[in-house]
Amino acid sequence: MSALARLLFGRRARLRWIHLILGGALAMPYVLVGSVVIGPVTGVTDVFGSLPLQLGSFAVGLPLAAVTSLFPLTRPLESAAVRWLCGVDADRLALTPARTRDEKGRTAAWFTLHLGFGGIIAGMSLALPPFAAVLIVLPVLAGLRDDRLGLPEVLDQAWALALAPVAGALSLVALAGCAAGSGALLARWAPALLGPTPRERLAAAEARAANLAVRNRLARELHDSVGHALSAVTLQASAARRVLDSDPEFVREALAAIEDTTRRTVGELDAVLGVLREGDAPGTAPAPTLAADLDGLLRRTRAGGQRVSATVDADPEALPPMLSREAYRIVQEGLSNALKHAGERAAVELRIAVTGGELEITVENPVDGPAPSRAGGGHGLRGMADRARLLGGSATAGPTGTQTWRLHATLPMTGPVGRDPNDSPYDRPRRRGPA
């Protein structure tokens, strides 16, 4: 019994009732226009004094409503009302204006149904409650029986008079049932008539995929730049603290390297945040590349005491810009891992070479203790593999012996066919501020 009461009078049913009443209110101007047509045709001046003529005016007005619903904003407005009042999930509704013939046709069908059901339920809501109230109090108020109020003659009978309150209560329940049923039907039909078309679903899925790709790339940029900087600064500060009294010259070099590292990282962070703000900020620093920034990366890494030997059998200046950027990040990640896991003053070997039309990057370093099993490991390694894969290459990392860790990346010099250069947020035109 309580479930039935909630179905007929619960919060959702009441909100859907309000939605139907709004539909009836929207239908009134069209009914008035329909009465202007019905009156001269039938020769009746008082159209609203006859129920059949009222229904005829209603029938004439609904096609007019369908025509006016072709206005593009009808669909988002109706979708918003359905979302809040009918309890339909937003992802099942289209909140953009109807543009195509199919979208407009389905919107017109929905608008006609909304006004049609709404007009009927609104009319019943105006007429039935007063009538039901009269039936309920009729047995105890003799004055109503004497006044008649246009009541049927059968109510003069004692048995009919006794059943009048029951009939009044049942008419209210019937009204609630009609309203609940009509609201449920509209809520069920709304996704089919107001929902996105396959074309819109495909466009939304593509937009979500593009947004996710940008977010993932920005996460990789932040991890690689900030993560490497923190590792390098930590190692440099630790080394400087240990020789603070015995080697002031090394301390000065370490502090200079810390200053340079943090300054560059702030510039890179500003560039990434400019993309997050949907428009690069004026004066943000360009992304680092192998050609322009490899020497600085090696210098800052060595300033922390790390012994890095680099063999470069390639001309960084000849590399495509995107390849140079991604290669720099892969080298940076390899050196960052070496800083974390190679141990104090360990020797790190970096080799960069062009072989068979591919750029090969290899970073080898000893590890302090057993080689960690992290071939599928942290965010940096996954990000590095993603960078290589976007360029049509590959990257692997793992132990090659008991005390050695090896990172190897292979990147084609030409890149995959058809790759969109806008995959990189740094490829967008950048506004420059005053020098």
Side-chain angles (χ1 to χ4, degrees):
M1 198 66 182
S2 61
L4 179 61
R6 284 196 303 271
L7 181 64
L8 297 180
F9 304 104
R11 182 177 181 275
R12 174 162 293 182
R14 296 196 303 271
L15 290 175
R16 289 176 176 176
W17 201 332
I18 293 174
H19 182 251
L20 290 166
I21 297 299
L22 290 176
L26 291 173
M28 283 304 301
Y30 302 102
V31 174
L32 291 175
V33 174
S35 68
V36 173
V37 176
I38 291 294
V41 171
T42 59
V44 177
T45 304
D46 186 13
V47 173
F48 293 101
S50 169
L51 179 60
L53 294 182
Q54 292 181 37
L55 295 177
S57 301
F58 188 56
V60 171
L62 285 180
L64 298 176
V67 173
T68 58
S69 69
L70 298 179
F71 184 66
L73 290 180
T74 300
R75 185 170 71 159
L77 292 175
E78 284 290 318
S79 295
V82 169
R83 175 187 176 186
W84 293 108
L85 296 177
C86 292
V88 179
D89 294 337
D91 57 358
R92 303 179 64 193
L93 301 170
L95 300 178
T96 56
R99 300 298 184 188
T100 66
R101 180 179 300 177
D102 175 60
E103 294 168 6
K104 292 180 178 180
R106 292 191 297 123
T107 302
W110 165 263
F111 195 65
T112 304
L113 287 172
H114 182 200
L115 270 59
F117 278 94
I120 294 172
I121 297 301
M124 293 173 62
S125 299
L126 289 174
L128 273 181
F131 178 70
V134 170
L135 291 180
I136 290 173
V137 302
L138 191 61
V140 296
L141 294 179
L144 291 177
R145 295 195 297 273
D146 296 337
D147 190 38
R148 302 299 298 168
L149 295 176
L151 296 175
E153 293 183 0
V154 70
L155 292 175
D156 291 334
Q157 304 295 326
W159 63 269
L161 195 62
L163 292 177
V166 178
L170 289 178
S171 64
L172 292 177
V173 173
L175 172 60
C178 290
S182 299
L185 283 176
L186 288 180
R188 183 176 180 179
W189 292 336
L193 297 177
L194 292 178
T197 62
R199 177 185 62 83
E200 291 174 310
R201 291 191 183 95
L202 179 60
E206 291 176 346
R208 285 194 297 269
N211 181 61
L212 182 60
V214 171
R215 288 168 61 91
N216 287 340
R217 185 168 185 85
L218 292 175
R220 290 196 300 269
E221 295 292 338
L222 288 173
H223 174 274
D224 291 349
S225 61
V226 178
H228 172 79
L230 291 177
S231 298
V233 167
T234 299
L235 188 62
Q236 290 159 354
S238 175
R241 178 181 56 81
R242 288 193 297 270
V243 297
L244 181 61
D245 298 324
S246 60
D247 194 349
E249 183 62 29
F250 178 84
V251 173
R252 280 192 293 270
E253 293 178 1
L255 291 177
I258 290 174
E259 180 183 5
D260 184 39
T261 300
T262 54
R263 182 184 294 112
R264 290 187 57 83
T265 304
V266 168
E268 294 177 22
L269 182 61
D270 187 36
V272 176
L273 293 179
V275 177
L276 283 174
R277 288 190 292 265
E278 297 183 358
D280 297 336
T284 53
T289 63
L290 204 62
D293 301 280
L294 177 61
D295 291 340
L297 176 63
L298 295 174
R299 183 179 64 255
R300 293 188 297 273
T301 303
R302 289 164 178 159
Q306 203 82 24
R307 292 182 291 127
V308 181
S309 62
T311 303
V312 181
D313 294 329
D315 182 9
E317 298 289 345
L319 299 178
M322 183 181 298
L323 177 61
S324 185
R325 286 194 295 270
E326 301 306 315
Y328 175 87
R329 290 302 191 192
I330 291 174
V331 171
Q332 185 182 51
E333 176 62 24
L335 295 179
S336 179
N337 285 336
L339 287 174
K340 295 176 185 177
H341 303 288
E344 184 177 354
R345 297 186 180 275
V348 180
E349 294 184 11
L350 168 65
R351 293 188 297 277
I352 302 174
V354 175
T355 305
E358 294 181 329
L359 180 68
E360 293 190 359
I361 300 171
T362 304
V363 181
E364 290 186 349
N365 59 268
V367 291
D368 190 9
S373 178
R374 49 191 174 97
H379 298 291
L381 294 180
R382 286 198 297 269
M384 180 186 61
D386 289 341
R387 290 179 185 278
R389 187 166 53 252
L390 284 173
L391 293 176
S394 62
T396 58
T400 58
T402 307
Q403 302 292 329
T404 305
W405 183 269
R406 185 173 185 265
L407 160 67
H408 182 72
T410 302
L411 308 176
M413 295 288 289
T414 57
V417 177
R419 185 177 189 274
D420 185 358
N422 290 324
D423 282 344
S424 171
Y426 293 107
D427 289 331
R428 303 173 187 171
R430 191 176 304 278
R431 299 189 301 273
R432 296 292 185 183

